[in-house]
Amino acid sequence: MKHLMILLWPAVWLVLGTDAPVLADDIADAHSRMIRTVKAMAQITPIAGKKHPISIKVLAAMGQVKRHKFVPRVRRSLAYENRPLPIGHGQTISQPYMVALMTDLLELEKGDTVFEMGTGSGYQAAVLAALGVRVQTVEIIKDLADEAKARLRELNYSHVTVRWADGYYGDPENAPFDGIIITAAASHIPPPLIAQLKPGGRMIIPVGPKFMAQQLVLVSKASDGKVTTRRLLPVAFVPVTRTRKP
Ligand code: SAH
């Protein structure tokens, strides 16, 4: 019997595989391991040539958000790995380190408002909400927008508003924003988004060609309205898609 089990184990694993129920303790362990990995990655990743540790408050926010609730059921066992994962429709939930870094670079305060272009699973928006900010997020794929809206409602993220729209135009009704985050690769920085950034605000955006390395760019608007950009590091994001030309 024992031998039979040993022989059959790979087959059992293949059938149940990643969809097997995972114990709450295992999830909690994997979650804290993910936070440690994010911290460790910050130690070895130069941002514009300098080390950039992730702030305690961003790590705490990531510690609160259950990433396994944002990935498809069949990928749950990988939810706390430090890697992007497919979420359907050819899109991905970003790597946890990238979520931490982009969130940290926005330098947000409780009560700030943020616009996100590219809701995807809703995970990034949930991390922002866990920091105590209000999030307006838009997603261009209707199914993903609907799923994220339902997921965030079920998980009680009441400070996140999800809309199905082309994020290129931002959200003039709720602008200006303290922070703007674009979680897909853009060929250029959308001018409507620059216009919707508050003086003193920051935008973080991957800029570059489709399906090749892009640069993560930090856009800062000074209190006098002057805009500066800084390239921070090479990244790889799914491309921004458009419904219509600007
Ligand atoms: N922030 C997401 C990851 C998103 S992947 C998360 O935490 O899961 C990038 C997303 O941007 C995809 O879902 C893609 O459909 C969306 N996207 C691409 N172009 C867009 C556009 N013009 N407006 C809004 N969303 C867009």
Side-chain angles (χ1 to χ4, degrees), residues 6-238:
I6 289 170
L7 281 174
L8 284 179
W9 184 241
V12 172
W13 189 84
L14 269 179
V15 174
L16 293 176
T18 52
D19 210 13
V22 185
L23 296 173
D25 279 358
D26 295 344
I27 292 178
D29 282 355
H31 198 162
S32 28
R33 211 167 39 242
M34 181 191 92
I35 304 293
R36 286 200 299 277
T37 307
V38 165
K39 267 165 117 174
M41 246 194 110
Q43 288 298 316
I44 56 167
T45 313
I47 305 302
K50 276 203 344 227
K51 231 189 246 181
H52 182 97
I54 307 296
S55 66
I56 309 258
K57 66 179 184 181
V58 169
L59 292 171
M62 302 229 357
Q64 273 180 46
V65 183
K66 301 190 177 342
R67 194 169 184 256
H68 70 277
K69 302 273 188 194
F70 293 82
V71 304
R73 192 165 280 280
V74 290
R75 310 214 191 266
R76 290 249 160 114
S77 65
L78 300 173
Y80 294 100
E81 300 289 315
N82 186 37
R83 52 183 264 195
L85 292 169
I87 54 170
H89 305 274
Q91 307 304 321
T92 52
I93 177 172
S94 305
Q95 180 199 37
Y97 169 69
M98 198 46 62
V99 171
L101 177 67
M102 291 172 82
T103 306
D104 203 65
L105 288 164
L106 289 175
E107 293 185 0
L108 297 163
E109 302 288 341
K110 249 194 182 114
D112 280 356
T113 55
V114 174
F115 174 76
E116 180 191 26
M117 171 172 178
T119 315
S121 66
Y123 176 72
Q124 171 72 69
V127 170
L128 289 164
L131 269 181
V133 306
R134 290 192 168 270
V135 188
Q136 300 288 336
T137 179
V138 303
E139 169 56 53
I140 204 162
I141 299 176
K142 184 155 191 324
D143 286 354
L144 286 178
D146 290 347
E147 284 165 28
K149 193 184 274 185
R151 180 177 294 126
L152 290 161
R153 189 185 306 125
E154 195 188 310
L155 297 171
N156 286 321
Y157 286 101
S158 55
H159 287 173
V160 182
T161 307
V162 182
R163 269 191 315 124
W164 171 46
D166 182 347
Y168 187 92
Y169 304 99
D171 185 355
E173 270 177 35
N174 292 295
F177 297 99
D178 300 286
I180 296 183
I181 180 166
I182 292 86
T183 62
S187 60
H188 61 277
I189 306 168
L193 297 187
I194 298 181
Q196 291 173 31
L197 197 58
K198 266 188 203 169
R202 298 177 137 221
M203 182 194 315
I204 189 86
I205 175 169
V207 186
K210 288 181 189 176
F211 308 116
M212 288 175 69
Q214 304 103 29
Q215 279 287 327
L216 192 63
V217 174
L218 177 66
V219 182
S220 312
K221 194 182 260 189
S223 47
D224 63 359
K226 189 168 171 271
V227 174
T228 49
T229 59
R230 237 176 114 204
R231 286 156 183 257
L232 301 179
L233 88 157
V235 288
F237 277 79
V238 291

